[in-house]
Amino acid sequence: MHAMTRPAVAGIALAACLATVPSAALPAAAHDGPPAATSGLARFYDQRPQWRSCLLGPDDEDGRQLEKAGARCADITVPLDYARPTGRTITVALSRIRATDTAHRVGPIVFNDGGPGGPSLTSPLAARAAMRDNAARYDLIGLDPRFVGRSTPLDCGWPVGSALVSAGMTRATFDRQVAHQRDLARRCSTRHGDVLPHVTTRNTARDMDVVRGVLGERKISYLGYSYGTYLGTAYTQMFPGRSDRVVLDGAIDPREYRPRLLKGREEIGDRALRAWAAWAARHHTTYGLGTSGPRVLRTVERTARAAAVRPLVVGSGPDAYRVDDATVPMVAFAGAADDRDPARHALAGQLSVLARAARGERVEPTPELAEMLDFALTGKLSRYGSAQFAILCGDGTAPRDPEVYWRDVQRSRDRYPLMGPMANNVNPCTFWPDMPREAPVRVERDAPALIVAATGDPRTSYQGSKALRGMLPSSRLLTLEGANHHGVFGEYGNACVDDQVNAYLRTGRLPGSDVTCRK
């Protein structure tokens, strides 16, 4: 979960830690990459992609932008279950912008923008700008992970775009959340129960290696953000020696990846929210949220409490949004992940509208708030949330007793009244069907990588990036000091960070030691 070209709202996913499941849960053939010729996978590695236009129709803006950039697209066939390669197959969607500097060509670089569940087919568009002249040396590969975007779809028919919301301000709201999250899990089990065991990060890593083989390459380079760092780490561990230049931005400690995405992140989320509140206080004359940081936060809390008594009405007519106390903290959480002025103005505008609604005023949403509420309260992006939690729940198990979550919510509420109930809420994995699972990815071998992190990252903590650096002795840590932002390279606009990453992509040589840049 992160931000680049993913929906603004996708800034609400993050990462955390799997319960250990015995590796015997799946047949040995499903484990890390055996040679294709001896595993029944040769027909997948040997297929030839049929490159075609990325444009699907007159309303396909993504396809139009890819077409304009010179990209071509293809669908690659992969096994649903790598333990049974002669069984059912699915497709993963690729885009490619070919290298133009063929004299200095490095090879393909695959992108993942996080989520989990975020599409990455259009990632080459943003990456090409971030990589500057390096882009001409690489084949830029956008890859929609299995069941995401244009790959074989998985849509549970959710009435919301994500299950990642707050437990709210009262026990009544939490009880509604339990019923709601149980229903989301039931919808996925009913519609897609046969494929859910195969919607996993390990299988996406296996798909990536098939893509490497299909492209005819011995190695691939990789740039992943947020959850994409966990996927990239998984690839280096499952397929040693098959990665070239690896950049992991906003990295996750693999030991801290679990279906309870936000548990343990209360403090960093709260710190980012307090920093925003101090900023908003300096703009009180514009937004009317309070003249000090604590007063701004009290305004947001009062808004959430009012929404617990009666949903806030935003907009007019039959299309008006009704915003409850599970959604108000979600808006605050999502907007606080970026400390740059445009994002801070956007969040202040959203919360100002909600605060006025809490006072009984008739209000219309800002464009940013309308986008967020469309995501949170309608099924327009059901596919995003469905795939996101299918991956999380497929990667590991969560506590099955809702009271575990309620106790965690209550323990955290006094210190973190907004972030505590958000971080500890029940989710669909609580009610996910029992099924075989592989063991979580563990770092058991070294791999060179450039790990990029902001010290104030409010999603994947800086400590997680430092921990991954310690697990990979050949890696280097590139720190942006003083920034509260999730995702740095090509996104934050820091010349020092962008220069360091591009030097690595150009030469393939990591810095001699860890590097610190300043905001």
Side-chain angles (χ1 to χ4, degrees):
M1 88 130 281
H2 152 247
M4 210 175 209
T5 54
R6 32 192 114 49
V9 298
I12 29 199
L14 154 77
C17 175
L18 283 171
T20 300
V21 181
S23 59
L26 286 182
H31 285 234
D32 311 342
T38 61
S39 62
L41 297 174
R43 70 187 180 104
F44 300 103
Y45 278 83
D46 293 343
Q47 64 187 299
R48 294 185 178 181
Q50 301 299 308
W51 297 103
R52 63 180 188 281
S53 169
C54 296
L55 189 62
L56 299 183
D59 298 326
D60 178 15
E61 185 57 32
D62 285 347
R64 182 173 292 106
Q65 293 302 318
L66 286 165
E67 192 93 348
K68 184 178 177 181
R72 303 290 284 173
C73 288
D75 293 322
I76 303 302
T77 301
V78 296
L80 173 68
D81 181 353
Y82 276 83
R84 297 172 179 82
T86 59
R88 181 175 168 184
T89 62
I90 57 174
T91 59
V92 294
L94 297 183
S95 66
R96 180 176 69 177
I97 301 176
R98 301 197 74 160
T100 54
D101 185 358
T102 54
H104 302 97
R105 180 180 178 274
V106 176
I109 182 168
V110 176
F111 304 102
N112 184 277
D113 279 353
S120 296
L121 196 77
T122 61
S123 298
L125 301 177
R128 188 167 61 166
M131 293 171 65
R132 304 172 187 161
D133 59 341
N134 281 322
R137 302 182 177 198
Y138 289 84
D139 292 342
L140 309 179
I141 307 297
L143 170 62
D144 278 349
R146 53 172 51 204
F147 301 108
V148 171
R150 295 189 185 182
S151 297
T152 295
L154 185 149
D155 188 344
C156 300
W158 283 6
V160 295
S162 179
L164 195 61
V165 293
S166 175
M169 310 303 282
T170 68
R171 176 71 199 216
T173 302
F174 176 77
D175 288 342
R176 287 195 298 272
Q177 278 294 308
V178 170
H180 171 65
Q181 302 286 352
R182 181 183 283 113
D183 177 63
L184 298 182
R186 179 193 59 78
R187 289 170 182 257
C188 285
S189 180
T190 300
R191 289 195 179 202
H192 298 292
D194 56 336
V195 304
L196 292 181
H198 311 293
V199 191
T200 66
T201 298
R202 278 187 176 273
N203 278 332
T204 297
R206 294 180 178 111
D207 296 342
M208 281 175 52
D209 200 59
V210 170
V211 167
R212 177 197 58 77
V214 165
L215 295 174
E217 302 287 344
R218 190 172 62 87
K219 294 184 176 184
I220 53 174
S221 295
Y222 181 80
L223 169 59
Y225 293 86
S226 191
Y227 161 80
T229 69
Y230 180 70
L231 173 60
T233 301
Y235 186 80
T236 67
Q237 299 303 299
M238 294 171 65
F239 299 96
R242 299 186 196 177
S243 53
D244 186 3
R245 301 166 198 191
V246 176
V247 180
L248 305 174
D249 192 323
I252 293 168
D253 178 346
R255 301 166 301 185
E256 295 295 322
Y257 172 79
R258 58 190 169 202
R260 298 185 73 181
L261 280 174
L262 302 175
K263 183 172 174 55
R265 305 305 199 274
E266 300 93 328
E267 197 279 330
I268 59 172
D270 184 73
R271 186 172 62 231
L273 188 60
R274 283 188 280 111
W276 167 81
W279 177 95
R282 297 193 294 272
H283 295 80
H284 173 68
T285 55
T286 302
Y287 298 108
L289 292 169
T291 55
S292 68
R295 288 178 176 175
V296 170
L297 291 178
R298 284 197 293 273
T299 298
V300 179
E301 290 171 35
R302 281 197 304 270
T303 302
R305 293 191 182 282
V309 175
R310 183 180 294 107
L312 312 179
V313 178
V314 178
S316 56
D319 295 329
Y321 302 102
R322 283 165 174 76
V323 183
D324 68 3
D325 55 321
T327 306
V328 172
M330 174 194 190
V331 173
F333 169 81
D338 188 339
D339 65 1
R340 295 172 297 177
D341 273 2
R344 286 181 158 173
H345 279 290
L347 179 57
Q350 294 176 68
L351 291 175
S352 178
V353 167
L354 294 177
R356 288 164 50 213
R359 295 194 295 268
E361 298 181 32
R362 290 191 175 188
V363 296
E364 294 295 327
T366 65
E368 295 86 358
L369 183 58
E371 181 186 15
M372 174 61 69
L373 296 181
D374 257 4
F375 176 71
L377 302 177
T378 77
K380 293 178 182 178
L381 286 173
S382 167
R383 279 189 62 178
Y384 177 86
S386 300
Q388 179 181 71
F389 274 87
I391 295 166
L392 287 166
C393 304
D395 278 347
T397 58
R400 309 293 279 185
D401 181 1
E403 293 305 313
V404 171
Y405 300 84
W406 177 246
R407 288 192 293 270
D408 289 344
V409 165
Q410 292 297 85
R411 275 194 289 264
S412 64
R413 191 188 297 278
D414 286 345
R415 187 172 181 187
Y416 307 112
L418 288 167
M419 292 298 105
M422 182 81 200
N424 291 283
N425 194 23
V426 65
N427 70 53
C429 302
T430 312
F431 310 104
W432 212 247
D434 290 328
M435 58 191 191
R437 286 181 173 86
E438 294 185 77
V441 172
R442 295 184 181 88
V443 176
E444 297 174 332
R445 51 174 63 92
D446 192 12
L450 184 59
I451 301 167
V452 185
T455 54
D457 187 332
R459 294 291 180 270
T460 53
S461 74
Y462 182 60
Q463 295 302 317
S465 291
K466 290 203 296 184
L468 183 60
R469 163 70 176 94
M471 295 178 205
L472 302 174
S474 295
S475 67
R476 295 292 182 268
L477 179 61
L478 173 58
T479 298
L480 176 57
E481 197 172 73
N484 296 341
H485 195 268
H486 186 51
V488 180
F489 171 61
E491 295 197 8
Y492 196 73
N494 184 272
C496 172
V497 169
D498 291 353
D499 287 349
Q500 288 286 338
V501 175
N502 275 308
Y504 170 55
L505 292 174
R506 183 171 57 254
T507 65
R509 293 191 298 273
L510 287 165
S513 59
D514 294 342
V515 177
T516 297
C517 297
R518 286 172 177 78
K519 179 179 170 181

